[in-house]
Amino acid sequence: SVVRLWCGSQSAVCLVTGDQTLFYKHLDNSTQTAGVGLQTNSTYNPWLGLTLALLSAFLIGGSVILKKKALIRLASNGHTRAGDGGHGYLKDWLWWGGLLTMGAGEVCNFAAYMFAPATLVTPLGALSVLISAVLSSHLLGEVLNVVGKLGCLLCVLGSILLVIHAPQEQEVTSLQDMTNMLLEPGFLVYMLAVLLLCAVLVLYFSPRVGRSNILVYISICSLLGAFTVSSVKGLAIVINTVFYDISVLASPLTWILLLTLIVSIVTQVNYLNKSLDTFNTLMVYPIYYVLFTTVVLSTSIILFQEWRSMAAVDVVTTLGAFLVIVVGVSMLHLFKEVQV
């Protein structure tokens, strides 16, 4: 028979057989002989999560270049531009290559949450902006001015600091842990406040000042990030668990997380498209990155408690690294057209 044990952030599978001489492994990795076989099962691997997050940034940054080259080629051949309502890019293999590359990047980003803290994975998404900027200067002939190069340097510096001082523990490693975290009173109050604020923005402010105030649409997208990241983290645990315990698919939480993820992503895409269609792209992306990442960091602190075991210097340095990345991203976007 098989018995599943939980102890803190660790889980273990006990295999009980009729053999007299068996082995079991304690949660502290010591091995002894007994009548029970015990094998630890921990998904936490920060270096694998970091690798997946970096791969995701490279793929997403490269996908922007592939799609851009496809659109430029179509425009040069006399096709109606996408901004004018043209859909000729749907017949271009290069554009589809960019779309598939972006999809692969998002899959890697999703998988990164299985192995590393959200505090580490989400801010590193800024590297895709850096990669697309560098590649566009080499492959598309776009000029990367001195301010942009300095912004790239700041993004790299902030990312290095973030990796060094990011949380080294994962507190949520099972669906039971996730359920307990979600039912914490502090988190329930936080999510209720986020949901009410989203409702006010969608129902009151969006129809009235949405097209004149850049913060309305972007705030809706960013606040929904709390639901998106929480759902992704939970579903990542489900995917990892289902290989040895298929009963997680029968858990109501699994389907609640999946439905929450779908609704939040669809709503985010809708309002992000509205903001891009209404306001200058150079303004939208920096503001969106800052607000979205701030919401994710707040959610991580309240729900996942990945900062609980960090020293004060690590907390301060992590926040400082995030601010450095914010400045770098802003310099890349806001001063893109400046001739320096």
Side-chain angles (χ1 to χ4, degrees), residues 25-184:
K25 184 182 287 186
H26 285 292
L27 294 179
D28 62 1
N29 290 327
S30 61
T31 303
Q32 299 183 19
T33 303
V36 180
L38 179 66
Q39 184 179 9
T40 56
N41 188 354
S42 178
T43 63
Y44 185 62
N45 189 331
W47 290 109
L48 178 56
L50 172 62
T51 302
L52 289 170
L54 293 176
L55 179 59
S56 171
F58 274 100
L59 290 173
I60 293 175
S63 70
V64 174
I65 304 304
L66 291 177
K67 291 193 289 186
K68 182 73 172 181
K69 285 182 71 69
L71 294 174
I72 292 175
R73 185 171 65 183
L74 288 170
S76 64
N77 291 336
H79 291 81
T80 305
R81 300 177 67 92
D84 297 327
H87 299 285
Y89 56 85
L90 295 176
K91 300 178 181 179
D92 191 288
W93 64 268
L94 188 60
W95 185 87
W96 280 104
L99 183 65
L100 292 175
T101 302
M102 176 172 285
E106 294 297 343
V107 170
C108 289
N109 188 63
F110 181 92
Y113 284 100
M114 295 175 63
F115 304 103
T119 309
L120 173 63
V121 175
T122 305
L124 288 180
L127 291 180
S128 63
V129 178
L130 181 154
I131 292 166
S132 62
V134 173
L135 291 178
S136 64
S137 66
H138 288 85
L139 301 179
L140 300 179
E142 297 182 359
V143 177
L144 185 63
N145 58 30
V146 175
V147 179
K149 293 177 181 178
L150 182 58
C152 291
L153 181 62
L154 289 176
C155 287
V156 172
L157 176 61
S159 299
I160 293 174
L161 291 174
L162 192 66
V163 170
I164 294 174
H165 294 276
Q168 298 300 309
E169 293 183 350
Q170 182 179 2
E171 299 294 337
V172 185
T173 56
S174 71
L175 201 59
Q176 183 62 47
D177 289 338
M178 189 71 183
T179 302
N180 294 337
M181 294 284 188
L182 290 172
L183 294 179
E184 285 287 334

Side-chain angles (χ1 to χ4, degrees), residues 322-334:
F322 169 57
L323 292 177
V324 170
I325 296 175
V326 167
V327 173
V329 171
S330 300
M331 292 174 68
L332 270 171
H333 279 281
L334 300 180

Side-chain angles (χ1 to χ4, degrees), residues 233-248:
K233 190 74 171 181
L235 290 174
I237 296 171
V238 170
I239 292 173
N240 179 73
T241 306
V242 76
F243 291 108
Y244 54 85
D245 184 9
I246 198 171
S247 64
V248 294

